[in-house]
Amino acid sequence: MRKLIPSYIRVPLVFFIIAGLVEYFVESGDQPAFMEKPVVLAFLLLVLLILIAIEGIVGAMENVLYQSLDEEAKARYDAQQEAPSKLVLWFKNAYKKLVGSKPIEEEGEIILDHNYDGIKELDNNLPPWWVYSFYVTIIFGVVYMIRYHVLNADDQFAEYEIEYAEAQRAIEEYKKNAKDLVDVNTVVLLTEASDLKAGENIFVSKCAVCHKADGGGGIGPNLTDEYWILGGGIKNVFKTISEGGRSGKGMVSWKKEGLKPSEMAQVASYVLQFQGTTPAEAKAAEGEIWIDESATDQETNKETEEKTEENSSTESTEAVEVVSATEN
């Protein structure tokens, strides 16, 4: 090993292997582990120093042992070091077979009669590596033709559609579990007890000072009535928490204060739990009554569907009566 690979290749190779393993096993986010965590950088530098020290110690020991040999043993050692290893010989023989060229001593056997001003031509065969590659392309072409033109396997367009659909499914699955990807357009009302408890903790620590612990309002508005300054519902409340209140006199943007999107969704969902409750000292209503237009649209659509079904049922009954009367 030491004879085949010199130390200036061996040390960096081992070092980068260790660095790669450290990077794989240490969680560091988007940045390399040694940039995110100084202790990792210190560890890698220590490993590098140890590798260099080992190379130096082993080299020094080899030199001491060499100096202790007699002249005959030194000659044998030098001859052994100069002789190529079995692996090197194997590569050389494999290269010669793949190239397929004749040694200079045997070129007389393949020289042609052509002679152009003393320049002669050799009748070399195609290199075996080229011939084997050509055979491989023929086999590949036959397999490709059978697969795609006889058996009608999925072509590139079909494979693209399949991979695209799989990628979309993976993205949707990732979005379900990655709560911090939520924004004002995708936020939904959270009802899990764990989410509401987390929202309560955030509200008590950051919001109760202005809105009171029961949501009755103090510096901030009352959160228990139907009146909203910037709109109610999960999307409006999330946006207000994220972007802040009215310019100059509203609350700060909690997005800039370090709250994650998932935390803002939790506290927004908790805030909406105050609706309809009775605080001890309720502040006077501010803003306007907010009506959930999406819920109104859903109710309207439901009523329209019910009327349509009722009319269809009436028309069917009248048609049956007409048919019965005609038969009579």
Side-chain angles (χ1 to χ4, degrees):
M1 177 69 179
R2 298 183 60 82
K3 177 183 174 183
L4 187 63
I5 305 177
S7 60
Y8 58 82
I9 295 178
R10 198 162 51 239
V11 170
L13 180 63
V14 175
F15 173 77
F16 282 115
I17 289 174
I18 295 174
L21 292 173
V22 170
E23 179 64 30
Y24 179 79
F25 287 105
V26 175
E27 179 63 35
S28 61
D30 296 332
Q31 290 187 327
F34 69 89
M35 292 180 62
E36 186 71 20
K37 301 182 179 180
V39 66
V40 174
L41 178 60
F43 171 75
L44 292 177
L45 291 176
L46 179 62
V47 168
L48 181 59
L49 291 175
I50 291 174
L51 291 175
I52 295 174
I54 291 174
E55 287 295 327
I57 293 171
V58 173
M61 291 177 61
E62 288 181 347
N63 187 49
V64 171
L65 291 174
Y66 180 80
Q67 296 300 329
S68 65
L69 299 175
D70 56 26
E71 295 300 326
E72 183 179 352
K74 287 181 179 179
R76 288 198 303 270
Y77 179 82
D78 292 339
Q80 183 181 2
Q81 292 297 312
E82 293 175 359
S85 64
K86 292 182 179 179
L87 183 61
V88 173
L89 289 174
W90 183 86
F91 275 112
K92 286 184 176 180
N93 292 331
Y95 174 78
K96 288 180 180 178
K97 289 180 180 178
L98 289 175
V99 172
S101 60
K102 289 275 187 180
I104 296 178
E105 298 81 9
E106 300 177 8
E107 284 185 350
E109 300 176 4
I110 57 174
I111 196 167
L112 296 175
D113 295 335
H114 304 160
N115 189 329
Y116 302 97
D117 295 331
I119 300 175
K120 296 183 180 181
E121 185 180 358
L122 297 178
D123 187 18
N124 282 315
N125 293 324
L126 288 171
W129 68 265
W130 191 95
V131 176
Y132 299 151
S133 301
F134 182 65
Y135 291 155
V136 169
T137 60
I138 294 174
I139 295 171
F140 176 84
V142 172
V143 173
Y144 184 92
M145 181 183 67
I146 294 174
R147 176 175 172 77
Y148 291 101
H149 296 281
V150 177
L151 301 179
N152 294 322
D154 293 335
D155 57 14
Q156 293 178 341
F157 296 101
E159 290 177 355
Y160 169 79
E161 294 295 336
I162 293 172
E163 292 182 6
Y164 182 81
E166 291 176 353
Q168 286 296 111
R169 286 194 294 270
I171 291 172
E172 294 301 324
E173 187 65 26
Y174 174 74
K175 286 182 177 179
K176 290 179 182 178
N177 301 322
K179 294 183 178 180
D180 283 327
L181 289 179
V182 67
D183 58 20
V184 68
N185 297 314
T186 59
V187 65
V188 294
L189 182 66
L190 303 177
T191 57
E192 293 288 336
S194 58
D195 289 321
L196 295 177
K197 183 62 179 177
E200 179 184 4
N201 294 335
I202 297 170
F203 183 87
V204 170
S205 64
K206 299 183 182 297
C207 310
V209 65
C210 293
H211 296 281
K212 292 188 178 180
D214 58 4
I219 299 174
N222 185 350
L223 301 175
T224 65
D225 56 32
E226 298 178 344
Y227 291 83
W228 294 88
I229 297 173
L230 297 176
I234 186 62
K235 293 186 183 297
N236 288 321
V237 175
F238 179 91
K239 182 179 180 181
T240 304
I241 295 171
S242 174
E243 306 300 328
R246 294 165 292 176
S247 177
K249 56 181 178 179
M251 70 177 185
V252 299
S253 168
W254 286 103
K255 176 178 66 176
K256 298 178 181 178
E257 296 296 320
L259 275 187
K260 298 179 180 179
S262 58
E263 294 173 330
M264 290 188 286
Q266 290 169 337
V267 72
S269 298
Y270 177 74
V271 164
L272 292 176
Q273 301 298 307
F274 288 128
Q275 290 288 286
T277 61
T278 305
E281 298 177 0
K283 187 178 180 181
E286 298 177 78
E288 299 177 353
I289 293 179
W290 183 80
I291 299 174
D292 189 350
E293 295 181 356
S294 61
T296 304
D297 292 341
Q298 291 177 0
E299 292 178 359
T300 303
N301 293 336
K302 185 176 180 181
E303 291 176 359
T304 303
E305 291 177 358
E306 290 177 352
K307 289 181 179 180
T308 303
E309 291 177 359
E310 183 179 348
N311 292 336
S312 299
S313 177
T314 303
E315 291 175 358
S316 299
T317 303
E318 291 176 352
V320 170
E321 291 176 353
V322 170
V323 170
S324 300
T326 303
E327 289 177 354
N328 293 333

